[in-house]
Amino acid sequence: ITREREQDIQPLRIAIQRNLDNNQELMEQLRDTAVLMLASEKLERARDSHREQQASELVESYSKRAVVGALAAVAPGSDIIIQGLLATRLIQALCKIYDVSVKDVEIESFLRLAGGKVRKMTAITLAITGNALKAFPGIGTLTGGLVHAVAYGMIFESLGRAAAQTLASRGELRPYPAAKAFEEILNDNLEAGAVRFAKLALAEKVKKDQP
């Protein structure tokens, strides 16, 4: 049996360090390069943090709009039209934050895939939404608009977070990974999201019903 001997690189390290110590100009160049790299990394982290904050605020804003839009729908199916326009604008706005050029077909593909995920989860989503609303005393009979408003809030939040996550990690909108992330985020946050958006929907309904 033959075994490879571990390479002793200590002499090489010593030789390299000795050469560096004797070359002041090279030392200065390496130091300047290290400083620039450190500054660049700090700027990138600051940029990423700023984008993440902007994206979070944008998603929160559009999720609220989705809730309000569902409550405001007056004709059957009109909420679908409202939400479709909002979803497209949300993705476009997120792409702008991440400085990503996106084609309409990519947005449409992502929304179509996400819609397929939603349809598979409709029953459980509406059931959890209904339970969350029933937890609030004095709510009375649940209406379809109220239930849908809560569901849309959760869907938009998950949609926005999934898109932002994909844009941040890949530098582009990739419909299939984004749709997968959407499904996971929605599934992981169903119960907590239902409670949060139930509170929001009820508050908005009170405003809407006021004379």
Side-chain angles (χ1 to χ4, degrees), residues 1 31 88-89 107 109 119 121 135 138 152 162 166 177 184 191:
I1 299 174
R31 186 185 66 181
T88 298
R89 289 173 183 170
I107 296 177
S109 177
R119 282 189 288 275
M121 299 174 64
Y152 274 127
T166 305
E184 292 173 352
E191 293 188 8

Side-chain angles (χ1 to χ4, degrees), residues 7 24 47 54 69 72 137 186 195:
Q7 299 295 322
Q24 189 65 29
R47 181 202 62 191
Q54 282 186 304
L186 180 60
V195 173

Side-chain angles (χ1 to χ4, degrees), residues 1-202:
I1 299 174
T2 58
R3 295 180 180 176
E4 293 185 5
R5 294 177 57 187
E6 292 186 6
Q7 299 295 322
D8 184 6
I9 62 172
Q10 186 62 22
L12 177 60
R13 288 177 178 171
I14 294 173
I16 292 174
Q17 187 62 58
R18 185 181 298 115
N19 285 332
L20 287 174
D21 292 341
N22 293 330
N23 191 331
Q24 189 65 29
E25 183 179 352
L26 180 58
M27 286 284 286
E28 291 291 336
Q29 291 176 355
L30 290 174
R31 186 185 66 181
D32 291 344
T33 300
V35 170
L36 287 173
M37 288 180 64
L38 182 61
S40 177
E41 289 174 0
K42 286 184 177 180
L43 285 173
E44 286 183 5
R45 286 197 296 270
R47 181 202 62 191
D48 292 344
S49 178
H50 181 60
R51 283 177 170 176
E52 185 178 348
Q53 179 64 30
Q54 282 186 304
S56 178
E57 292 174 357
L58 186 73
V59 170
E60 183 179 351
S61 172
Y62 270 83
S63 298
K64 182 176 180 179
R65 290 188 201 179
V67 171
V68 173
L71 291 172
V74 292
S78 61
D79 58 332
I80 301 297
I81 298 173
I82 293 171
Q83 308 306 351
L85 291 172
L86 275 179
T88 298
R89 289 173 183 170
L90 169 60
I91 305 305
Q92 289 172 337
L94 285 170
C95 288
K96 187 174 181 180
I97 287 176
Y98 285 94
D99 196 23
V100 170
S101 177
V102 65
K103 298 177 181 178
D104 290 343
V105 67
E106 292 171 330
I107 296 177
E108 291 169 4
S109 177
F110 170 44
L111 295 180
R112 184 176 64 255
L113 290 168
K117 306 289 186 184
V118 169
R119 282 189 288 275
K120 292 179 182 178
M121 299 174 64
T122 296
I124 188 171
T125 300
L126 294 180
I128 291 175
T129 297
N131 288 336
L133 286 167
K134 289 175 183 176
F136 292 89
I139 190 173
T141 304
L142 293 179
T143 63
L146 189 58
V147 173
H148 286 167
V150 177
Y152 274 127
M154 293 191 294
I155 289 168
F156 263 73
E157 182 181 59
S158 301
L159 195 72
R161 287 176 58 190
Q165 179 179 303
T166 305
L167 290 167
S169 63
R170 289 172 168 79
E172 60 182 327
L173 181 66
R174 302 275 295 279
Y176 283 96
K180 180 63 177 175
F182 164 75
E183 182 180 26
E184 292 173 352
I185 292 171
L186 180 60
N187 190 54
D188 290 345
N189 294 278
L190 271 178
E191 293 188 8
V195 173
R196 283 190 294 108
F197 284 105
K199 291 179 181 178
L200 174 61
L202 289 170

